Each structure stands twice: as C-alpha cells, then as structure tokens.
Amino acid sequence: MSKKSTKGINISELSVPAFGYELIREELLEELLGNEAPNILYWAGKRLARKYPLFSINEIIEFFINAGWGTLTVTDEKKDEMEFTLSSELIRNRLLTKTNPTFQLEAGFLAEQIQQMKKVYAESYEHSKKRDGTIVFTVKWDPML
C-alpha cells in the first residue's frame, strides 16, 4: 500500500488517539447519518475500496491495520464465499459499551475489494460475536454475467 503524505508529513507514521477516532466514528457519524448510518457506511466502504484498490488478501489485512480498523484474519474460504474475523481492543470495547455498533464501513470495503479482485458481484454480511469481542464478515459472491 502506498504511503500518502501531506506537505512532507508521512501520514502512515502518525497516530490518532482512540478517543478521537471513536468520537468521530461512534458519535458524530451516528448523529449526522441517523438511522441510515449502516447503509451509508456500507456504500462509503465500497467507495473507499474503489479509491484504494488492493490486489491481495494480505494487502487488505495490511490496510485494515493501517486504517486502525483492527486485525483481520481469514477464517474460512469456500468456492463462493470467504469468512473474515476482525478483532482489536477498540472493537471489543465498542461491542461492550455501545447498544448497536455497526461495522458496515468495513463490510462494504471488504465486499468491494473481493469484487474487484475476483471479478465477481460480492456482498458482505456482518455478525457480532460479543462474547469473543470480534466481528465476523461473510463475503459471498456470484459470477459476473
């Protein structure tokens, strides 16, 4: 993944406090988007994936780490679907403290990356595993006609 810079500052070397990230993600976006937040975030994730095309599962995993979204692992792969698990302390905390946290940004991003890589139509479904403090994404696809 290429490193973006702004006026000589290497963005990949900067960090944001978790509080600031969560404030924007869980409070501000929810306030601005209201009940439509999950749908809008899913499509925003797809748009981000088109803006940052990746070419392998390892690049997707690296992107998730660099974006601060958590540690992504492939847990299962079948002919027409893949299952990913996403984990981090922020995710564990969000699952424990928020009523209905959404991970649709990540779901949309995964769906679009797989769609572009495999040249298929792909959708991603999110499943919370509160007891484990993880999120499972199932990405399913159909061939393009």
Side-chain angles (χ1 to χ4, degrees), residues 3-136:
K3 294 180 182 178
K4 302 281 185 181
S5 65
T6 304
K7 297 182 182 182
I9 298 171
N10 188 344
I11 291 175
S12 66
E13 294 176 1
L14 298 175
S15 63
V16 174
F19 175 73
Y21 177 78
E22 290 296 292
L23 188 64
I24 291 170
R25 168 109 187 205
E26 293 298 314
E27 301 298 329
L28 182 60
L29 283 179
E30 190 175 305
E31 182 70 28
L32 291 173
L33 303 176
N35 292 338
E36 293 300 315
N39 293 330
I40 293 170
L41 289 172
Y42 185 85
W43 292 106
K46 289 180 78 73
R47 182 153 169 75
L48 277 175
R50 288 189 292 273
K51 190 172 182 178
Y52 294 91
L54 303 172
F55 303 100
S56 71
I57 299 299
N58 285 338
E59 286 184 359
I60 295 173
I61 291 168
E62 182 182 347
F63 186 95
F64 269 67
I65 291 167
N66 290 334
W69 291 352
T71 302
L72 187 70
T73 55
V74 177
T75 51
D76 194 18
E77 186 170 358
K78 297 177 183 165
K79 181 183 131 200
D80 60 354
E81 75 178 53
M82 289 181 81
E83 187 176 277
F84 297 87
T85 299
L86 183 63
S87 61
S88 77
E89 285 305 311
L90 280 177
I91 290 169
R92 179 180 302 282
N93 185 58
R94 198 178 298 151
L95 288 171
L96 291 172
T97 61
K98 300 294 177 189
T99 305
N100 290 312
T102 183
F103 297 86
Q104 289 297 290
L105 180 71
E106 296 89 339
F109 186 86
L110 274 174
E112 186 67 22
Q113 290 294 353
I114 297 300
Q115 181 167 308
Q116 297 302 320
M117 272 188 232
K118 295 186 174 285
K119 308 291 187 230
V120 295
Y121 293 112
E123 293 289 329
S124 182
Y125 306 93
E126 154 195 348
H127 316 280
S128 298
K129 302 281 185 177
K130 286 192 176 191
R131 190 180 326 148
D132 297 339
T134 62
I135 302 297
V136 174

